[in-house]
Amino acid sequence: MVVNISKAARMASKTRRTIYKHINQGKLSTTRDTKGNRGIDLTELIRVYGSDVKPPESVEKEGGIHEECTTVSSSEKMDLLLKKIENLESEVNRLNHTVENLNNRLEYKPAAIDSVELTPVKSKSSEILARLKSKL
């Protein structure tokens, strides 16, 4: 029987990250189904992790993470959710501020040259021209 990586991790009581690490190290071999998805044969799990591997039926009945969360009280869940919402709202505000700042940078237009007053600069050549005109 071939199971997907997530189910194999639950059966072996390992994280998916550990399973992938063992696959990459060559400790655990995988097979591909007709759709090309990777899976691990049950006998391969038992070979690598021993007889402590849970049967597939018991893993399906566990319900994964949901069952672990039921040990937390409703008020604790509510507090955790409220804190998470608070953190997400502050993150949204920070990102909105960043977007507004970036939009302001995009819309910035420097002052036109026409609006800047140019004052004539007196140079030696203009003084020489003035003297020559006065002599004429």
Side-chain angles (χ1 to χ4, degrees), residues 2-5 8 19-20 22-24 26-33 36-41 44 47:
V2 177
V3 294
N4 64 29
I5 304 292
I19 298 292
Y20 278 113
H22 290 165
I23 291 168
N24 292 334
K27 294 179 182 178
L28 187 62
S29 63
T30 60
T31 59
R32 295 212 180 256
D33 63 9
N37 299 322
R38 280 205 302 192
I40 301 173
D41 193 80
E44 180 67 4
R47 181 189 69 80

Side-chain angles (χ1 to χ4, degrees), residues 80-93:
L80 288 172
L81 289 172
L82 288 173
K83 284 180 184 176
K84 190 157 203 143
I85 289 171
E86 210 173 277
N87 290 337
L88 290 172
E89 285 175 342
S90 66
E91 180 69 9
V92 165
N93 287 336

Side-chain angles (χ1 to χ4, degrees), residues 15 17 19 23 31 36 38 45 52 58-60 87 91 98-100 111 115-116 119-120 125 136:
T15 63
R17 187 175 191 169
I19 298 292
I23 291 168
T31 59
R38 280 205 302 192
L45 277 177
D52 294 336
S58 69
V59 173
E60 289 171 2
N87 290 337
E91 180 69 9
T98 302
V99 168
E100 184 179 326
S115 64
V116 177
T119 55
S125 58
L136 291 173

Side-chain angles (χ1 to χ4, degrees), residues 54-112:
K54 299 174 189 173
E57 301 82 33
S58 69
V59 173
E60 289 171 2
K61 291 177 185 174
E62 283 181 8
I65 296 171
H66 180 69
E67 186 178 49
E68 293 172 13
C69 291
T70 57
T71 58
V72 179
S73 72
S74 295
S75 63
E76 288 174 340
K77 281 184 195 178
M78 185 64 78
D79 290 341
L80 288 172
L81 289 172
L82 288 173
K83 284 180 184 176
K84 190 157 203 143
I85 289 171
E86 210 173 277
N87 290 337
L88 290 172
E89 285 175 342
S90 66
E91 180 69 9
V92 165
N93 287 336
R94 187 187 69 77
L95 291 173
N96 282 336
H97 178 71
T98 302
V99 168
E100 184 179 326
N101 186 13
L102 291 172
N103 281 332
N104 287 340
R105 288 182 185 180
L106 285 173
E107 293 173 3
Y108 172 74
K109 294 177 184 151

